[in-house]
């Protein structure tokens, strides 16, 4: 559906993209300054790559070899930048209808009423931007982008300036709109929670290069590269010290794994099981005894630092389990790591 294969050289960053998205909800995830916004701007046509092509469905937006450079206004792409702005001198209704007026499009009253009702903005149509909240302003900006009936929607970290609770509600609203209207969307973000909650398909970018891309769940559970794993919240990343056919050695400890595909072993902190005292652990995999060297509640869960003879593991555990199991600093505990929770990764060679 969306095929990108291009190169663009900037003063401080070179961007090389080879990426196919086939679905409605697509995310490019990576740190600030990695080239995410520039990719969206090239898809929108604000500037062109140095070479390569940009295709959407059966339409070619850009192809350097064929000399194709479709103008921005002819691509019919909706674009919502980080610094979204509303016209302060126009009412909410006038802001929403601005693209219709600018493009001399026919007013679709049914669509307008559908958006306004879905966004719960009916009572604010005669108000001015300064009279509504930040979350409401962002809904107005999103509806304004949708009123032009774009065939592709590009969202550049649209909720980054909003409080978490407001951003969560807007993401839910956005998902409903994208699904109901069946508009293919590319959403870029540096926030893992935000990216994961929106995505069906996900790509990871670093230093201008796409590390890997796949279905969200596949990428989140089994990344190919250690750089991807670190970006995706694998807090426990170790260089493998030794291998057999189905096990790896990490700092003197042997762990059984499902398969070995690289020189690093990566473990998500929420995948480590803390076992109950005096429990029968005979059927548990990769059992390890050690001590809690630190414990910190971070709101939604608690983070344990576990030390087993110099092997340090970070463990995320629900707050209620901490109290129920009497976990505290200095307590000796037993943990288990299922074989499928240990992911072996390669090093990305493209940098």
């Amino acid at each position: 559906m969306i095929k990108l294969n291009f190169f663009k050289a900037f003063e401080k960053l070179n961007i090389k993209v080879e990426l196919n998205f086939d679905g409605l909800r697509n995310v490019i995830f990576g740190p600030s300054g990695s080239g995410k916004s520039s990719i969206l701007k090239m898809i929108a046509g604000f500037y062109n790559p140095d070479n390569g092509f940009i295709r959407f469905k059966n339409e070619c937006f850009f192809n350097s070899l064929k000399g194709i450079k479709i103008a921005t206004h002819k691509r019919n792409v909706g674009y919502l930048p980080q610094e979204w702005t509303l016209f302060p001198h126009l009412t909410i209704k006038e802001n929403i209808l601005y693209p219709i007026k600018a493009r001399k499009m026919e007013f679709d009253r049914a669509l307008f009423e559908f958006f306004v009702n879905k966004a719960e903005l009916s009572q604010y149509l005669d108000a001015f931007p300064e009279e509504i909240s930040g979350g409401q302003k962002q809904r107005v900006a999103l509806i304004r982008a949708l009123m032009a009936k774009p065939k592709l929607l590009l969202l550049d970290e649209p909720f980054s300036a909003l409080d978490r609770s407001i951003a969560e509600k807007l993401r839910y609203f956005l998902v409903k709109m994208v699904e109901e209207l069946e508009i293919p969307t590319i959403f870029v973000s540096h926030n893992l929670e935000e990216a994961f909650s929106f995505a069906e398909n996900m790509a990871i970018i670093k230093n201008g290069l796409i590390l890997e891309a796949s279905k969200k769940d596949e990428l989140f559970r089994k990344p190919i590269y250690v750089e991807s794993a670190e970006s995706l919240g694998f807090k426990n990343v170790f260089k493998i010290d030794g291998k057999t056919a189905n096990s790896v050695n990490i700092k003197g400890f042997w762990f059984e794994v499902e398969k070995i595909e690289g020189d690093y072993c990566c473990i998500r902190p929420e995948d480590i099981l803390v076992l109950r005292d005096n429990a029968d652990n005979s059927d548990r995999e990769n059992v390890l005894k050690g001590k809690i060297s630190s414990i910190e509640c971070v709101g939604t869960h608690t983070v344990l630092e576990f030390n087993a003879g110099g092997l340090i593991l970070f463990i995320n555990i629900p707050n209620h389990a901490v109290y129920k199991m009497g976990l505290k600093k200095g307590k000796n505990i037993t943990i288990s790591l299922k074989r499928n929770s240990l992911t072996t990764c390669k090093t990305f060679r493209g940098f």
Side-chain angles (χ1 to χ4, degrees):
M1 183 180 292
I2 304 166
K3 294 186 177 182
L4 311 176
N5 189 325
F6 59 76
F7 174 82
K8 178 71 173 181
F10 292 96
E11 183 178 350
K12 297 183 178 180
L13 180 71
N14 292 336
I15 296 176
K16 188 177 188 303
V17 176
E18 293 182 32
L19 183 60
N20 296 337
F21 278 141
D22 187 14
L24 294 179
R25 292 186 281 122
N26 310 289
V27 169
I28 300 175
F29 169 73
S32 298
S34 58
K36 304 185 302 297
S37 298
S38 295
I39 291 173
L40 289 193
K41 290 175 181 177
M42 283 185 272
I43 296 172
F46 297 147
Y47 45 79
N48 292 312
D50 295 336
N51 57 61
F53 64 82
I54 299 171
R55 295 188 61 87
F56 174 66
K57 295 185 176 179
N58 295 322
E59 185 176 356
C60 185
F61 289 167
F62 174 83
N63 189 310
S64 59
L65 292 178
K66 296 181 180 180
I68 298 173
K69 298 178 182 179
I70 303 299
T72 301
H73 69 279
K74 293 183 178 180
R75 298 189 185 194
N76 192 17
V77 169
Y79 175 75
L80 194 59
Q82 286 178 316
E83 301 298 329
W84 49 269
T85 55
L86 301 180
F87 298 109
H89 62 289
L90 299 181
T91 66
I92 299 308
K93 181 177 180 180
E94 290 169 336
N95 266 282
I96 293 173
L97 296 180
Y98 180 82
I100 304 299
K101 180 180 179 181
R103 300 185 187 187
K104 298 180 181 179
M105 297 173 62
E106 183 178 348
F107 174 49
D108 188 333
R109 180 172 296 277
L111 185 65
F112 172 76
E113 292 178 353
F114 170 79
F115 285 144
V116 168
N117 290 330
K118 286 286 186 179
E120 300 178 352
L121 290 169
S122 300
Q123 68 192 84
Y124 303 104
L125 294 179
D126 294 327
F128 288 89
E130 65 179 13
E131 299 173 317
I132 62 176
S133 69
Q136 290 167 332
K137 290 176 184 176
Q138 187 63 313
R139 273 180 276 170
V140 172
L142 178 58
I143 289 174
R144 182 173 63 183
L146 293 172
M147 274 302 297
K149 300 180 181 179
K151 53 191 173 186
L152 175 64
L153 184 61
L154 308 176
L155 304 175
D156 189 355
E157 306 212 42
F159 310 138
S160 59
L162 301 175
D163 292 338
R164 179 175 178 175
S165 61
I166 297 174
E168 286 177 353
K169 293 177 182 178
L170 284 171
R171 285 200 303 271
Y172 177 70
F173 171 74
L174 174 61
V175 168
K176 287 200 302 181
M177 290 295 95
V178 169
E179 295 286 353
E180 289 188 37
L181 299 171
E182 297 185 341
I183 300 178
T185 301
I186 301 179
F187 185 114
V188 307
S189 179
H190 69 276
N191 182 299
L192 181 58
E193 178 183 348
E194 182 174 83
F196 190 79
S197 67
F198 179 78
E200 291 176 305
N201 306 303
M202 192 167 169
I204 301 176
I205 188 171
K206 185 176 182 180
N207 297 335
L209 294 174
I210 300 295
L211 300 182
E212 54 185 301
S214 68
K215 294 292 184 182
K216 169 186 68 177
D217 292 331
E218 295 174 10
L219 189 57
F220 194 73
R221 302 304 310 175
K222 296 292 180 182
I224 296 172
Y225 299 110
V226 63
E227 293 85 357
S228 301
E230 291 172 333
S231 297
L232 291 169
F234 284 76
K235 290 186 179 179
N236 304 294
V237 177
F238 303 98
K239 187 80 166 62
I240 295 173
D241 298 317
K243 305 175 187 178
T244 66
N246 59 358
S247 64
V248 297
N249 185 282
I250 302 172
K251 297 186 181 297
F253 294 90
W254 286 96
F255 297 93
E256 293 184 352
V257 297
E258 287 189 331
K259 54 185 177 180
I260 301 175
E261 296 184 329
D263 294 325
Y264 286 85
C265 184
C266 306
I267 309 162
R268 299 197 68 84
E270 63 270 24
D271 286 345
I272 302 175
L273 303 176
V274 178
L275 305 178
R276 297 184 183 281
D277 295 337
N278 304 317
D280 179 9
N281 301 321
S282 58
D283 61 341
R284 297 288 187 176
E285 300 172 347
N286 296 317
V287 174
L288 194 62
K289 295 182 182 293
K291 182 180 292 188
I292 298 175
S293 51
S294 74
I295 184 168
E296 180 184 8
C297 178
V298 293
T300 56
H301 61 276
T302 295
V303 178
L304 307 181
E305 184 182 273
F306 171 83
N307 188 329
L311 173 62
I312 305 296
L313 292 169
F314 292 97
I315 306 170
N316 290 355
I317 187 169
N319 294 329
H320 70 84
V322 174
Y323 302 115
K324 192 170 184 178
M325 300 177 73
L327 301 179
K328 60 183 179 180
K329 183 178 179 179
K331 180 179 175 68
N332 291 312
I333 61 172
T334 303
I335 67 169
S336 171
L337 296 89
K338 292 184 177 180
R339 285 180 293 176
N340 63 7
S341 70
L342 285 85
T343 300
T344 56
C345 298
K346 308 173 185 177
T347 300
F348 185 72
R349 302 295 184 184
F351 296 126

